[in-house]
PDB file of all heavy atoms in Angstrom:
ATOM      1  N   ASP H   3       0.860  -1.174   0.000  1.00 98.00           N
ATOM      2  CA  ASP H   3       0.000   0.000   0.000  1.00 98.00           C
ATOM      3  C   ASP H   3       0.902   1.231   0.000  1.00 98.00           C
ATOM      4  O   ASP H   3       2.135   1.124  -0.107  1.00 98.00           O
ATOM      5  CB  ASP H   3      -0.980  -0.032   1.175  1.00 98.00           C
ATOM      6  CG  ASP H   3      -0.287  -0.029   2.539  1.00 98.00           C
ATOM      7  OD1 ASP H   3       0.942   0.198   2.608  1.00 98.00           O
ATOM      8  OD2 ASP H   3      -0.989  -0.261   3.547  1.00 98.00           O
ATOM      9  N   THR H   4       0.318   2.405   0.105  1.00 98.00           N
ATOM     10  CA  THR H   4       1.131   3.627  -0.015  1.00 98.00           C
ATOM     11  C   THR H   4       2.156   3.721   1.104  1.00 98.00           C
ATOM     12  O   THR H   4       3.296   4.155   0.874  1.00 98.00           O
ATOM     13  CB  THR H   4       0.229   4.867   0.014  1.00 98.00           C
ATOM     14  OG1 THR H   4      -0.600   4.838   1.198  1.00 98.00           O
ATOM     15  CG2 THR H   4      -0.664   4.918  -1.214  1.00 98.00           C
ATOM     16  N   TYR H   5       1.791   3.311   2.311  1.00 98.00           N
ATOM     17  CA  TYR H   5       2.715   3.409   3.443  1.00 98.00           C
ATOM     18  C   TYR H   5       3.889   2.455   3.266  1.00 98.00           C
ATOM     19  O   TYR H   5       5.055   2.840   3.410  1.00 98.00           O
ATOM     20  CB  TYR H   5       1.973   3.111   4.752  1.00 98.00           C
ATOM     21  CG  TYR H   5       2.836   3.307   5.988  1.00 98.00           C
ATOM     22  CD1 TYR H   5       2.789   4.495   6.709  1.00 98.00           C
ATOM     23  CD2 TYR H   5       3.698   2.308   6.426  1.00 98.00           C
ATOM     24  CE1 TYR H   5       3.573   4.685   7.840  1.00 98.00           C
ATOM     25  CE2 TYR H   5       4.494   2.487   7.558  1.00 98.00           C
ATOM     26  CZ  TYR H   5       4.427   3.679   8.253  1.00 98.00           C
ATOM     27  OH  TYR H   5       5.219   3.858   9.363  1.00 98.00           O
ATOM     28  N   MET H   6       3.593   1.204   2.981  1.00 98.00           N
ATOM     29  CA  MET H   6       4.655   0.210   2.882  1.00 98.00           C
ATOM     30  C   MET H   6       5.541   0.423   1.655  1.00 98.00           C
ATOM     31  O   MET H   6       6.734   0.119   1.692  1.00 98.00           O
ATOM     32  CB  MET H   6       4.067  -1.203   2.881  1.00 98.00           C
ATOM     33  CG  MET H   6       3.590  -1.636   4.251  1.00 98.00           C
ATOM     34  SD  MET H   6       4.922  -1.541   5.491  1.00 98.00           S
ATOM     35  CE  MET H   6       4.248  -2.541   6.791  1.00 98.00           C
ATOM     36  N   ARG H   7       4.975   0.958   0.603  1.00 98.00           N
ATOM     37  CA  ARG H   7       5.806   1.264  -0.564  1.00 98.00           C
ATOM     38  C   ARG H   7       6.860   2.296  -0.199  1.00 98.00           C
ATOM     39  O   ARG H   7       8.016   2.214  -0.619  1.00 98.00           O
ATOM     40  CB  ARG H   7       4.937   1.772  -1.719  1.00 98.00           C
ATOM     41  CG  ARG H   7       5.694   1.948  -3.031  1.00 98.00           C
ATOM     42  CD  ARG H   7       4.741   2.270  -4.172  1.00 98.00           C
ATOM     43  NE  ARG H   7       3.789   1.201  -4.389  1.00 98.00           N
ATOM     44  CZ  ARG H   7       4.055   0.085  -5.061  1.00 98.00           C
ATOM     45  NH1 ARG H   7       5.258  -0.108  -5.569  1.00 98.00           N
ATOM     46  NH2 ARG H   7       3.130  -0.837  -5.230  1.00 98.00           N
ATOM     47  N   GLU H   8       6.486   3.264   0.624  1.00 98.00           N
ATOM     48  CA  GLU H   8       7.428   4.287   1.065  1.00 98.00           C
ATOM     49  C   GLU H   8       8.524   3.694   1.948  1.00 98.00           C
ATOM     50  O   GLU H   8       9.683   4.108   1.896  1.00 98.00           O
ATOM     51  CB  GLU H   8       6.688   5.385   1.825  1.00 98.00           C
ATOM     52  CG  GLU H   8       7.555   6.525   2.297  1.00 98.00           C
ATOM     53  CD  GLU H   8       6.751   7.587   3.020  1.00 98.00           C
ATOM     54  OE1 GLU H   8       5.649   7.925   2.557  1.00 98.00           O
ATOM     55  OE2 GLU H   8       7.232   8.077   4.060  1.00 98.00           O
ATOM     56  N   LYS H   9       8.161   2.681   2.762  1.00 98.00           N
ATOM     57  CA  LYS H   9       9.127   2.045   3.661  1.00 98.00           C
ATOM     58  C   LYS H   9       9.996   1.011   2.948  1.00 98.00           C
ATOM     59  O   LYS H   9      11.041   0.596   3.471  1.00 98.00           O
ATOM     60  CB  LYS H   9       8.400   1.377   4.830  1.00 98.00           C
ATOM     61  CG  LYS H   9       7.716   2.364   5.769  1.00 98.00           C
ATOM     62  CD  LYS H   9       8.724   3.311   6.430  1.00 98.00           C
ATOM     63  CE  LYS H   9       8.058   4.222   7.434  1.00 98.00           C
ATOM     64  NZ  LYS H   9       9.027   5.171   8.069  1.00 98.00           N
ATOM     65  N   GLY H  10       9.569   0.556   1.796  1.00 98.00           N
ATOM     66  CA  GLY H  10      10.382  -0.375   1.019  1.00 98.00           C
ATOM     67  C   GLY H  10      10.245  -1.828   1.421  1.00 98.00           C
ATOM     68  O   GLY H  10      11.060  -2.662   1.019  1.00 98.00           O
ATOM     69  N   ILE H  11       9.230  -2.152   2.238  1.00 98.00           N
ATOM     70  CA  ILE H  11       8.974  -3.552   2.579  1.00 98.00           C
ATOM     71  C   ILE H  11       7.478  -3.819   2.457  1.00 98.00           C
ATOM     72  O   ILE H  11       6.662  -2.897   2.488  1.00 98.00           O
ATOM     73  CB  ILE H  11       9.447  -3.924   4.012  1.00 98.00           C
ATOM     74  CG1 ILE H  11       8.642  -3.176   5.075  1.00 98.00           C
ATOM     75  CG2 ILE H  11      10.936  -3.655   4.169  1.00 98.00           C
ATOM     76  CD1 ILE H  11       8.901  -3.646   6.491  1.00 98.00           C
ATOM     77  N   ASP H  12       7.115  -5.099   2.311  1.00 98.00           N
ATOM     78  CA  ASP H  12       5.700  -5.450   2.304  1.00 98.00           C
ATOM     79  C   ASP H  12       5.291  -5.916   3.698  1.00 98.00           C
ATOM     80  O   ASP H  12       6.109  -6.005   4.614  1.00 98.00           O
ATOM     81  CB  ASP H  12       5.395  -6.513   1.239  1.00 98.00           C
ATOM     82  CG  ASP H  12       6.244  -7.773   1.385  1.00 98.00           C
ATOM     83  OD1 ASP H  12       6.623  -8.120   2.533  1.00 98.00           O
ATOM     84  OD2 ASP H  12       6.525  -8.423   0.356  1.00 98.00           O
ATOM     85  N   TYR H  13       3.998  -6.214   3.870  1.00 98.00           N
ATOM     86  CA  TYR H  13       3.507  -6.616   5.193  1.00 98.00           C
ATOM     87  C   TYR H  13       4.049  -7.976   5.620  1.00 98.00           C
ATOM     88  O   TYR H  13       4.175  -8.245   6.821  1.00 98.00           O
ATOM     89  CB  TYR H  13       1.976  -6.619   5.212  1.00 98.00           C
ATOM     90  CG  TYR H  13       1.380  -5.240   5.310  1.00 98.00           C
ATOM     91  CD1 TYR H  13       0.851  -4.596   4.194  1.00 98.00           C
ATOM     92  CD2 TYR H  13       1.342  -4.566   6.530  1.00 98.00           C
ATOM     93  CE1 TYR H  13       0.300  -3.324   4.283  1.00 98.00           C
ATOM     94  CE2 TYR H  13       0.800  -3.291   6.627  1.00 98.00           C
ATOM     95  CZ  TYR H  13       0.278  -2.677   5.497  1.00 98.00           C
ATOM     96  OH  TYR H  13      -0.254  -1.408   5.588  1.00 98.00           O
ATOM     97  N   PHE H  14       4.356  -8.831   4.669  1.00 98.00           N
ATOM     98  CA  PHE H  14       4.954 -10.123   5.006  1.00 98.00           C
ATOM     99  C   PHE H  14       6.316  -9.914   5.674  1.00 98.00           C
ATOM    100  O   PHE H  14       6.613 -10.496   6.717  1.00 98.00           O
ATOM    101  CB  PHE H  14       5.105 -10.970   3.746  1.00 98.00           C
ATOM    102  CG  PHE H  14       5.576 -12.373   3.996  1.00 98.00           C
ATOM    103  CD1 PHE H  14       4.677 -13.412   4.166  1.00 98.00           C
ATOM    104  CD2 PHE H  14       6.937 -12.665   4.049  1.00 98.00           C
ATOM    105  CE1 PHE H  14       5.113 -14.709   4.386  1.00 98.00           C
ATOM    106  CE2 PHE H  14       7.387 -13.951   4.282  1.00 98.00           C
ATOM    107  CZ  PHE H  14       6.472 -14.978   4.450  1.00 98.00           C
ATOM    108  N   GLU H  15       7.138  -9.063   5.086  1.00 98.00           N
ATOM    109  CA  GLU H  15       8.440  -8.757   5.676  1.00 98.00           C
ATOM    110  C   GLU H  15       8.275  -8.052   7.015  1.00 98.00           C
ATOM    111  O   GLU H  15       9.055  -8.279   7.949  1.00 98.00           O
ATOM    112  CB  GLU H  15       9.260  -7.895   4.712  1.00 98.00           C
ATOM    113  CG  GLU H  15      10.580  -7.371   5.272  1.00 98.00           C
ATOM    114  CD  GLU H  15      11.586  -8.465   5.605  1.00 98.00           C
ATOM    115  OE1 GLU H  15      11.428  -9.609   5.131  1.00 98.00           O
ATOM    116  OE2 GLU H  15      12.552  -8.172   6.347  1.00 98.00           O
ATOM    117  N   ASN H  16       7.256  -7.213   7.113  1.00 98.00           N
ATOM    118  CA  ASN H  16       6.995  -6.544   8.384  1.00 98.00           C
ATOM    119  C   ASN H  16       6.729  -7.567   9.490  1.00 98.00           C
ATOM    120  O   ASN H  16       7.264  -7.458  10.595  1.00 98.00           O
ATOM    121  CB  ASN H  16       5.787  -5.617   8.234  1.00 98.00           C
ATOM    122  CG  ASN H  16       5.696  -4.592   9.357  1.00 98.00           C
ATOM    123  OD1 ASN H  16       6.394  -3.591   9.356  1.00 98.00           O
ATOM    124  ND2 ASN H  16       4.812  -4.844  10.321  1.00 98.00           N
ATOM    125  N   SER H  17       5.933  -8.591   9.175  1.00 98.00           N
ATOM    126  CA  SER H  17       5.637  -9.626  10.166  1.00 98.00           C
ATOM    127  C   SER H  17       6.855 -10.496  10.450  1.00 98.00           C
ATOM    128  O   SER H  17       7.044 -10.966  11.580  1.00 98.00           O
ATOM    129  CB  SER H  17       4.482 -10.498   9.679  1.00 98.00           C
ATOM    130  OG  SER H  17       3.277  -9.767   9.652  1.00 98.00           O
ATOM    131  N   ARG H  18       7.684 -10.716   9.448  1.00 98.00           N
ATOM    132  CA  ARG H  18       8.914 -11.480   9.664  1.00 98.00           C
ATOM    133  C   ARG H  18       9.818 -10.745  10.660  1.00 98.00           C
ATOM    134  O   ARG H  18      10.365 -11.349  11.592  1.00 98.00           O
ATOM    135  CB  ARG H  18       9.653 -11.695   8.346  1.00 98.00           C
ATOM    136  CG  ARG H  18      10.855 -12.646   8.460  1.00 98.00           C
ATOM    137  CD  ARG H  18      11.634 -12.703   7.150  1.00 98.00           C
ATOM    138  NE  ARG H  18      12.399 -11.487   6.950  1.00 98.00           N
ATOM    139  CZ  ARG H  18      13.628 -11.284   7.454  1.00 98.00           C
ATOM    140  NH1 ARG H  18      14.214 -12.211   8.187  1.00 98.00           N
ATOM    141  NH2 ARG H  18      14.269 -10.154   7.211  1.00 98.00           N
ATOM    142  N   ARG H  19       9.946  -9.445  10.488  1.00 98.00           N
ATOM    143  CA  ARG H  19      10.790  -8.664  11.394  1.00 98.00           C
ATOM    144  C   ARG H  19      10.206  -8.618  12.803  1.00 98.00           C
ATOM    145  O   ARG H  19      10.957  -8.673  13.791  1.00 98.00           O
ATOM    146  CB  ARG H  19      10.962  -7.244  10.846  1.00 98.00           C
ATOM    147  CG  ARG H  19      11.736  -7.194   9.539  1.00 98.00           C
ATOM    148  CD  ARG H  19      11.956  -5.766   9.061  1.00 98.00           C
ATOM    149  NE  ARG H  19      12.625  -5.732   7.763  1.00 98.00           N
ATOM    150  CZ  ARG H  19      13.049  -4.617   7.173  1.00 98.00           C
ATOM    151  NH1 ARG H  19      12.881  -3.447   7.778  1.00 98.00           N
ATOM    152  NH2 ARG H  19      13.633  -4.665   5.998  1.00 98.00           N
ATOM    153  N   ALA H  20       8.897  -8.531  12.910  1.00 98.00           N
ATOM    154  CA  ALA H  20       8.254  -8.542  14.227  1.00 98.00           C
ATOM    155  C   ALA H  20       8.514  -9.862  14.940  1.00 98.00           C
ATOM    156  O   ALA H  20       8.755  -9.895  16.153  1.00 98.00           O
ATOM    157  CB  ALA H  20       6.755  -8.306  14.075  1.00 98.00           C
ATOM    158  N   THR H  21       8.481 -10.954  14.196  1.00 98.00           N
ATOM    159  CA  THR H  21       8.759 -12.277  14.758  1.00 98.00           C
ATOM    160  C   THR H  21      10.202 -12.367  15.235  1.00 98.00           C
ATOM    161  O   THR H  21      10.486 -12.841  16.344  1.00 98.00           O
ATOM    162  CB  THR H  21       8.474 -13.364  13.715  1.00 98.00           C
ATOM    163  OG1 THR H  21       7.095 -13.279  13.303  1.00 98.00           O
ATOM    164  CG2 THR H  21       8.769 -14.742  14.259  1.00 98.00           C
ATOM    165  N   MET H  22      11.121 -11.908  14.413  1.00 98.00           N
ATOM    166  CA  MET H  22      12.533 -11.959  14.775  1.00 98.00           C
ATOM    167  C   MET H  22      12.828 -11.078  15.985  1.00 98.00           C
ATOM    168  O   MET H  22      13.644 -11.433  16.842  1.00 98.00           O
ATOM    169  CB  MET H  22      13.384 -11.538  13.574  1.00 98.00           C
ATOM    170  CG  MET H  22      13.255 -12.471  12.375  1.00 98.00           C
ATOM    171  SD  MET H  22      14.180 -11.895  10.929  1.00 98.00           S
ATOM    172  CE  MET H  22      15.871 -12.202  11.468  1.00 98.00           C
ATOM    173  N   ALA H  23      12.141  -9.940  16.069  1.00 98.00           N
ATOM    174  CA  ALA H  23      12.343  -9.048  17.214  1.00 98.00           C
ATOM    175  C   ALA H  23      11.905  -9.719  18.510  1.00 98.00           C
ATOM    176  O   ALA H  23      12.526  -9.522  19.567  1.00 98.00           O
ATOM    177  CB  ALA H  23      11.581  -7.737  17.002  1.00 98.00           C
ATOM    178  N   GLN H  24      10.849 -10.521  18.443  1.00 98.00           N
ATOM    179  CA  GLN H  24      10.408 -11.227  19.650  1.00 98.00           C
ATOM    180  C   GLN H  24      11.446 -12.251  20.108  1.00 98.00           C
ATOM    181  O   GLN H  24      11.694 -12.400  21.307  1.00 98.00           O
ATOM    182  CB  GLN H  24       9.062 -11.903  19.411  1.00 98.00           C
ATOM    183  CG  GLN H  24       7.904 -10.938  19.416  1.00 98.00           C
ATOM    184  CD  GLN H  24       6.769 -11.399  20.302  1.00 98.00           C
ATOM    185  OE1 GLN H  24       6.823 -12.430  20.941  1.00 98.00           O
ATOM    186  NE2 GLN H  24       5.708 -10.609  20.356  1.00 98.00           N
ATOM    187  N   GLN H  25      12.046 -12.949  19.165  1.00 98.00           N
ATOM    188  CA  GLN H  25      13.083 -13.898  19.576  1.00 98.00           C
ATOM    189  C   GLN H  25      14.268 -13.162  20.206  1.00 98.00           C
ATOM    190  O   GLN H  25      14.817 -13.590  21.229  1.00 98.00           O
ATOM    191  CB  GLN H  25      13.557 -14.737  18.385  1.00 98.00           C
ATOM    192  CG  GLN H  25      14.514 -15.848  18.801  1.00 98.00           C
ATOM    193  CD  GLN H  25      15.466 -16.274  17.703  1.00 98.00           C
ATOM    194  OE1 GLN H  25      15.964 -15.437  16.946  1.00 98.00           O
ATOM    195  NE2 GLN H  25      15.739 -17.570  17.613  1.00 98.00           N
ATOM    196  N   ARG H  26      14.661 -12.049  19.598  1.00 98.00           N
ATOM    197  CA  ARG H  26      15.772 -11.269  20.144  1.00 98.00           C
ATOM    198  C   ARG H  26      15.450 -10.773  21.553  1.00 98.00           C
ATOM    199  O   ARG H  26      16.315 -10.765  22.440  1.00 98.00           O
ATOM    200  CB  ARG H  26      16.060 -10.077  19.224  1.00 98.00           C
ATOM    201  CG  ARG H  26      16.700 -10.471  17.892  1.00 98.00           C
ATOM    202  CD  ARG H  26      18.185 -10.758  18.055  1.00 98.00           C
ATOM    203  NE  ARG H  26      18.898  -9.580  18.510  1.00 98.00           N
ATOM    204  CZ  ARG H  26      19.354  -8.627  17.703  1.00 98.00           C
ATOM    205  NH1 ARG H  26      19.140  -8.699  16.391  1.00 98.00           N
ATOM    206  NH2 ARG H  26      20.016  -7.592  18.186  1.00 98.00           N
ATOM    207  N   TYR H  27      14.204 -10.373  21.763  1.00 98.00           N
ATOM    208  CA  TYR H  27      13.795  -9.901  23.086  1.00 98.00           C
ATOM    209  C   TYR H  27      13.933 -11.020  24.114  1.00 98.00           C
ATOM    210  O   TYR H  27      14.394 -10.795  25.237  1.00 98.00           O
ATOM    211  CB  TYR H  27      12.348  -9.412  23.038  1.00 98.00           C
ATOM    212  CG  TYR H  27      11.774  -9.060  24.386  1.00 98.00           C
ATOM    213  CD1 TYR H  27      11.987  -7.804  24.948  1.00 98.00           C
ATOM    214  CD2 TYR H  27      11.013  -9.983  25.101  1.00 98.00           C
ATOM    215  CE1 TYR H  27      11.456  -7.481  26.198  1.00 98.00           C
ATOM    216  CE2 TYR H  27      10.489  -9.672  26.349  1.00 98.00           C
ATOM    217  CZ  TYR H  27      10.708  -8.419  26.888  1.00 98.00           C
ATOM    218  OH  TYR H  27      10.189  -8.102  28.128  1.00 98.00           O
ATOM    219  N   ALA H  28      13.536 -12.238  23.762  1.00 98.00           N
ATOM    220  CA  ALA H  28      13.646 -13.361  24.689  1.00 98.00           C
ATOM    221  C   ALA H  28      15.101 -13.676  25.014  1.00 98.00           C
ATOM    222  O   ALA H  28      15.431 -14.051  26.144  1.00 98.00           O
ATOM    223  CB  ALA H  28      12.959 -14.591  24.107  1.00 98.00           C
ATOM    224  N   ILE H  29      15.970 -13.531  24.039  1.00 98.00           N
ATOM    225  CA  ILE H  29      17.400 -13.736  24.282  1.00 98.00           C
ATOM    226  C   ILE H  29      17.917 -12.673  25.257  1.00 98.00           C
ATOM    227  O   ILE H  29      18.648 -12.978  26.203  1.00 98.00           O
ATOM    228  CB  ILE H  29      18.182 -13.706  22.959  1.00 98.00           C
ATOM    229  CG1 ILE H  29      17.790 -14.899  22.079  1.00 98.00           C
ATOM    230  CG2 ILE H  29      19.688 -13.707  23.218  1.00 98.00           C
ATOM    231  CD1 ILE H  29      18.324 -14.820  20.660  1.00 98.00           C
ATOM    232  N   ASP H  30      17.520 -11.421  25.039  1.00 98.00           N
ATOM    233  CA  ASP H  30      17.924 -10.338  25.943  1.00 98.00           C
ATOM    234  C   ASP H  30      17.283 -10.506  27.328  1.00 98.00           C
ATOM    235  O   ASP H  30      17.925 -10.200  28.342  1.00 98.00           O
ATOM    236  CB  ASP H  30      17.517  -8.983  25.359  1.00 98.00           C
ATOM    237  CG  ASP H  30      18.292  -8.616  24.108  1.00 98.00           C
ATOM    238  OD1 ASP H  30      19.388  -9.183  23.907  1.00 98.00           O
ATOM    239  OD2 ASP H  30      17.791  -7.789  23.320  1.00 98.00           O
ATOM    240  N   ASN H  31      16.038 -10.925  27.354  1.00 98.00           N
ATOM    241  CA  ASN H  31      15.304 -11.223  28.589  1.00 98.00           C
ATOM    242  C   ASN H  31      15.513 -10.144  29.654  1.00 98.00           C
ATOM    243  O   ASN H  31      16.021 -10.414  30.762  1.00 98.00           O
ATOM    244  CB  ASN H  31      15.731 -12.591  29.136  1.00 98.00           C
ATOM    245  CG  ASN H  31      14.798 -13.114  30.210  1.00 98.00           C
ATOM    246  OD1 ASN H  31      13.717 -12.586  30.418  1.00 98.00           O
ATOM    247  ND2 ASN H  31      15.227 -14.151  30.905  1.00 98.00           N
ATOM    248  N   PRO H  32      15.109  -8.908  29.383  1.00 97.00           N
ATOM    249  CA  PRO H  32      15.412  -7.809  30.309  1.00 97.00           C
ATOM    250  C   PRO H  32      14.731  -7.937  31.668  1.00 97.00           C
ATOM    251  O   PRO H  32      15.206  -7.349  32.644  1.00 97.00           O
ATOM    252  CB  PRO H  32      14.904  -6.576  29.556  1.00 97.00           C
ATOM    253  CG  PRO H  32      13.850  -7.104  28.635  1.00 97.00           C
ATOM    254  CD  PRO H  32      14.353  -8.444  28.198  1.00 97.00           C
ATOM    255  N   MET H  33      13.650  -8.708  31.759  1.00 97.00           N
ATOM    256  CA  MET H  33      12.930  -8.845  33.030  1.00 97.00           C
ATOM    257  C   MET H  33      13.342 -10.093  33.800  1.00 97.00           C
ATOM    258  O   MET H  33      12.855 -10.333  34.905  1.00 97.00           O
ATOM    259  CB  MET H  33      11.420  -8.838  32.784  1.00 97.00           C
ATOM    260  CG  MET H  33      10.911  -7.546  32.153  1.00 97.00           C
ATOM    261  SD  MET H  33       9.124  -7.515  31.907  1.00 97.00           S
ATOM    262  CE  MET H  33       8.562  -7.421  33.610  1.00 97.00           C
ATOM    263  N   GLY H  34      14.240 -10.879  33.204  1.00 97.00           N
ATOM    264  CA  GLY H  34      14.794 -12.019  33.921  1.00 97.00           C
ATOM    265  C   GLY H  34      13.823 -13.163  34.173  1.00 97.00           C
ATOM    266  O   GLY H  34      13.906 -13.828  35.210  1.00 97.00           O
ATOM    267  N   TRP H  35      12.949 -13.431  33.230  1.00 98.00           N
ATOM    268  CA  TRP H  35      12.015 -14.540  33.399  1.00 98.00           C
ATOM    269  C   TRP H  35      12.699 -15.874  33.137  1.00 98.00           C
ATOM    270  O   TRP H  35      13.568 -15.972  32.272  1.00 98.00           O
ATOM    271  CB  TRP H  35      10.825 -14.396  32.458  1.00 98.00           C
ATOM    272  CG  TRP H  35       9.986 -13.175  32.704  1.00 98.00           C
ATOM    273  CD1 TRP H  35       9.857 -12.097  31.880  1.00 98.00           C
ATOM    274  CD2 TRP H  35       9.176 -12.895  33.857  1.00 98.00           C
ATOM    275  NE1 TRP H  35       9.017 -11.158  32.438  1.00 98.00           N
ATOM    276  CE2 TRP H  35       8.584 -11.634  33.658  1.00 98.00           C
ATOM    277  CE3 TRP H  35       8.906 -13.591  35.034  1.00 98.00           C
ATOM    278  CZ2 TRP H  35       7.722 -11.053  34.586  1.00 98.00           C
ATOM    279  CZ3 TRP H  35       8.047 -13.010  35.959  1.00 98.00           C
ATOM    280  CH2 TRP H  35       7.466 -11.767  35.734  1.00 98.00           C
ATOM    281  N   ALA H  36      12.301 -16.900  33.844  1.00 98.00           N
ATOM    282  CA  ALA H  36      12.857 -18.237  33.633  1.00 98.00           C
ATOM    283  C   ALA H  36      12.417 -18.780  32.277  1.00 98.00           C
ATOM    284  O   ALA H  36      11.298 -18.543  31.834  1.00 98.00           O
ATOM    285  CB  ALA H  36      12.393 -19.185  34.741  1.00 98.00           C
ATOM    286  N   GLY H  37      13.321 -19.495  31.619  1.00 98.00           N
ATOM    287  CA  GLY H  37      12.978 -20.201  30.395  1.00 98.00           C
ATOM    288  C   GLY H  37      13.203 -19.439  29.111  1.00 98.00           C
ATOM    289  O   GLY H  37      13.367 -20.041  28.049  1.00 98.00           O
ATOM    290  N   TYR H  38      13.219 -18.110  29.161  1.00 98.00           N
ATOM    291  CA  TYR H  38      13.356 -17.329  27.932  1.00 98.00           C
ATOM    292  C   TYR H  38      14.722 -17.581  27.300  1.00 98.00           C
ATOM    293  O   TYR H  38      15.758 -17.433  27.946  1.00 98.00           O
ATOM    294  CB  TYR H  38      13.228 -15.839  28.220  1.00 98.00           C
ATOM    295  CG  TYR H  38      11.820 -15.312  28.394  1.00 98.00           C
ATOM    296  CD1 TYR H  38      10.787 -16.119  28.841  1.00 98.00           C
ATOM    297  CD2 TYR H  38      11.533 -13.980  28.139  1.00 98.00           C
ATOM    298  CE1 TYR H  38       9.503 -15.617  29.007  1.00 98.00           C
ATOM    299  CE2 TYR H  38      10.257 -13.449  28.305  1.00 98.00           C
ATOM    300  CZ  TYR H  38       9.240 -14.286  28.739  1.00 98.00           C
ATOM    301  OH  TYR H  38       7.986 -13.777  28.912  1.00 98.00           O
ATOM    302  N   ASP H  39      14.732 -17.945  26.027  1.00 98.00           N
ATOM    303  CA  ASP H  39      15.982 -18.055  25.274  1.00 98.00           C
ATOM    304  C   ASP H  39      15.637 -18.124  23.796  1.00 98.00           C
ATOM    305  O   ASP H  39      14.488 -17.890  23.403  1.00 98.00           O
ATOM    306  CB  ASP H  39      16.812 -19.271  25.726  1.00 98.00           C
ATOM    307  CG  ASP H  39      16.104 -20.607  25.536  1.00 98.00           C
ATOM    308  OD1 ASP H  39      15.233 -20.712  24.647  1.00 98.00           O
ATOM    309  OD2 ASP H  39      16.420 -21.564  26.268  1.00 98.00           O
TER     310      ASP H  39
END
């Protein structure tokens, strides 16, 4: 759409990056929860 064309990615790539960011967050585990990796 007009927004994503300006950003240079489609919504599929947007969701891929959101997924990868969640894994990175679990690795960082800033709140120190058990099991996150």
